[in-house]
Structures are given as structure tokens and as C-alpha cells.
């Protein structure tokens, strides 16, 4: 009986492996080789003009919800952020890691689980904030930009991160519309086994501080919505007391 079960398991494993192999070779794209970095910088700057980057730069506070479950309050000016999911609430001081605090059901965590929660919250913040404001990050330190020709000899912007976040080395190929706003990008990232997966940037809105952000991202059958977006110059403008982050001073 045990041998029979093992044989069935092996057959299923072979079938699944073969199916993945078919999908991999059908969908996997090699990372394109770009050139013309000066021209790429021009295209990147046109995108930032279209999205009003100065407005984003002057936005001190922003709150949002990612995919209906991860809730953020980000003090950009002072580099502090709170992340809430389920019964967890984590406050991170991005300049002084040890000041970060975590709570479960309003009870402060002080044992070894504290750093587990802080680490998970930071990884979530890196991922979810990227989907929120990635176009504004194309001139971050450690980022290179090149031009890749796509259909009809249209210029697309290849952006590669050599540092930052939790997955340095990731690359994204941005395709822009006629107004230089992102339509979608293709991803070559460590977290995905297949290169060239497409993620859309749709339903653009203008925030209260006049920065422009996309609120819908489709990746295959998955749609992630960014909701409850609020921006301001201080915490009171987004409905919170100015003492909100005092806990991690």
C-alpha cells in the first residue's frame, strides 16, 4: 500500500513538474538588453513630469490600504511608518530600527516575536509601497535606466535596482502611454520564477497634494486595488493626531 501511494505521489509530481516546465518555456522572457542611458533619462523625466513628482516630493504624509488588508500610514518626512494587518500593528522608525514597536490585539510584543513582526512589516512595506509609488523611484540611488525597443519601435524604459528594498537586482520594463504615464511594466524579480510577467498600472487619480498614483494593478488573474488614499502636510490632515508616531520617537 505504501509503495502504491509513493508511486502515485511520484506520478503527480512528474505531471506537475512537466506542467510547470511547459508554462515556464511558454511564458518566460529573457531580460532585454537596453542601451542609450541618456535617452532613457529623458524618457524617465517625461514620466515624472506627467505624474507631478514635485507634488509627491512635497507630500509629507500619506495613508493607504493595499489589497484591502494592509493599512499604512507613512510619515515620509520623518521616515516613520505604521503597518496594520489582521490583529497586528507595527510601528517602524526607518532611521532607527530598534525603536520599532509591535502590537497584537493591542498588546505590545517584547519577546523574540518583535523582530519577526518588524521584519515582516518592513518586507510588506517595501513591496506594497513599491506598487503604490514605483514610478517616482526611477532616479533613486543605485538605479540604472536604459531604453528598450518594443513593438512598432516604441521606446520603453528599463529600470534596474542594484540596491534598496529587500530584493536588489530586480528589473522592470516600463511601457508608457502617449502622455508618458505608465500603462504597465514587465518584471524580472527574484520573487517570481518566470521573467517578463506583466503588471498593469490603471485608474490613475490625483491626490489632495496633486501627486498622481495608479489605484489598480492586474497581474494575470490577480487584481490588487489601492484604496483609502489620503495625503497631507501633517498627520491632522489625514485624520490622525500629531502625536501618532510619538511611540517610536
Amino acid at each position: 500500500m505504501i509503495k502504491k501511494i509513493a508511486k502515485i505521489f511520484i506520478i503527480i509530481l512528474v505531471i506537475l513538474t512537466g506542467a510547470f516546465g511547459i508554462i515556464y518555456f511558454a511564458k518566460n522572457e529573457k531580460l532585454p538588453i537596453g542601451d542609450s542611458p541618456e535617452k532613457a533619462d529623458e524618457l524617465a523625466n517625461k514620466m515624472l513630469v506627467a505624474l507631478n513628482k514635485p507634488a509627491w516630493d512635497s507630500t509629507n504624509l500619506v495613508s493607504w490600504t493595499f489589497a484591502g488588508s494592509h493599512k499604512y500610514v507613512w510619515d515620509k518626512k520623518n521616515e516613520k511608518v505604521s503597518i496594520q494587518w489582521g490583529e497586528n500593528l507595527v510601528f517602524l522608525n526607518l532611521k532607527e530600527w530598534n525603536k520599532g514597536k509591535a502590537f497584537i490585539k493591542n498588546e505590545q510584543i517584547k519577546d523574540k516575536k518583535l523582530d519577526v513582526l518588524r521584519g515582516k512589516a518592513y518586507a510588506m512595506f517595501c513591496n506594497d509601497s513599491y506598487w503604490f509609488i514605483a514610478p517616482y523611484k526611477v532616479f533613486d540611488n543605485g538605479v540604472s535606466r536604459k531604453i528598450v525597443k518594443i513593438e512598432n519601435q516604441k521606446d520603453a524604459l528599463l529600470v534596474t535596482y542594484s540596491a534598496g528594498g529587500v530584493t536588489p537586482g530586480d528589473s522592470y520594463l516600463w511601457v508608457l502611454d502617449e502622455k508618458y504615464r505608465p500603462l504597465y511594466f514587465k518584471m524580472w524579480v527574484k520573487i517570481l520564477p518566470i521573467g517578463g510577467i506583466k503588471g498593469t498600472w490603471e485608474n490613475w487619480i490625483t491626490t489632495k497634494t496633486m501627486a498622481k498614483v495608479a489605484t489598480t494593478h492586474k497581474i494575470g488573474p490577480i487584481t490588487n486595488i489601492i484604496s483609502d488614499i489620503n495625503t497631507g502636510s501633517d498627520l491632522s490632515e489625514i485624520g490622525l493626531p500629531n502625536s501618532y508616531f510619538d511611540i517610536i520617537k
Side-chain angles (χ1 to χ4, degrees):
M1 183 66 179
I2 295 175
K3 288 183 178 180
K4 186 176 181 180
I5 293 172
K7 185 177 180 180
I8 293 171
F9 176 78
I10 291 170
I11 291 171
I12 293 172
L13 184 62
V14 169
I15 291 171
L16 291 174
T17 303
F20 177 79
I22 292 171
I23 294 171
Y24 178 84
F25 286 109
K27 298 292 186 179
N28 187 59
E29 297 181 20
K30 290 184 178 180
L31 178 65
I33 298 173
D35 57 18
S36 306
E38 291 183 1
K39 189 175 180 181
D41 286 357
E42 292 178 8
L43 184 59
N45 276 312
K46 288 179 180 179
M47 179 178 70
L48 295 181
V49 169
L51 301 183
N52 197 0
K53 187 173 186 294
W56 172 252
D57 290 342
S58 63
T59 298
N60 292 334
L61 275 298
V62 58
S63 61
W64 78 97
T65 300
F66 181 82
S69 59
H70 301 169
K71 298 180 180 181
Y72 295 90
V73 179
W74 184 13
D75 182 342
K76 290 172 55 209
K77 182 179 180 180
N78 297 302
E79 297 186 55
K80 298 173 183 176
V81 61
S82 70
I83 305 99
Q84 183 176 2
W85 72 100
E87 297 173 334
N88 307 296
L89 174 61
V90 176
F91 290 85
L92 295 179
N93 185 319
L94 301 175
K95 293 186 292 186
E96 298 181 69
W97 178 260
N98 289 333
K99 289 187 175 181
K101 291 181 170 59
F103 301 82
I104 299 178
K105 294 183 179 180
N106 296 319
E107 182 179 344
Q108 187 171 351
I109 305 302
K110 296 183 178 180
D111 57 17
K112 292 181 179 179
K113 195 171 183 180
L114 169 60
D115 225 37
V116 173
L117 286 169
R118 288 191 300 198
K120 183 174 182 179
Y122 180 68
M124 288 167 53
F125 172 67
C126 288
N127 177 78
D128 298 354
S129 65
Y130 190 80
W131 282 101
F132 186 36
I133 50 94
Y136 294 122
K137 296 176 65 65
V138 294
F139 281 99
D140 281 6
N141 291 333
V143 178
S144 64
R145 296 155 299 278
K146 294 182 179 179
I147 291 291
V148 171
K149 293 290 185 181
I150 58 173
E151 300 86 2
N152 302 318
Q153 291 299 298
K154 182 178 180 179
D155 288 342
L157 181 65
L158 180 64
V159 175
T160 299
Y161 294 83
S162 62
V166 293
T167 55
D170 291 350
S171 293
Y172 301 83
L173 183 66
W174 289 94
V175 177
L176 312 180
D177 66 16
E178 67 280 357
K179 295 181 180 180
Y180 300 104
R181 293 186 311 182
L183 288 168
Y184 63 88
F185 59 31
K186 289 188 173 184
M187 299 174 276
W188 286 263
V189 297
K190 291 182 177 66
I191 197 172
L192 296 175
I194 297 174
I197 296 293
K198 179 179 176 181
T200 68
W201 288 69
E202 304 177 58
N203 295 327
W204 289 85
I205 65 166
T206 301
T207 69
K208 288 194 300 186
T209 54
M210 303 308 292
K212 292 178 172 60
V213 293
T215 59
T216 304
H217 304 290
K218 296 176 183 176
I219 311 143
I222 300 170
T223 298
N224 285 323
I225 303 295
I226 296 175
S227 58
D228 307 320
I229 299 169
N230 204 353
T231 57
S233 59
D234 60 45
L235 284 160
S236 64
E237 289 189 17
I238 61 173
L240 291 170
N242 285 322
S243 60
Y244 181 72
F245 283 111
D246 284 357
I247 192 171
I248 53 172
K249 271 187 175 180

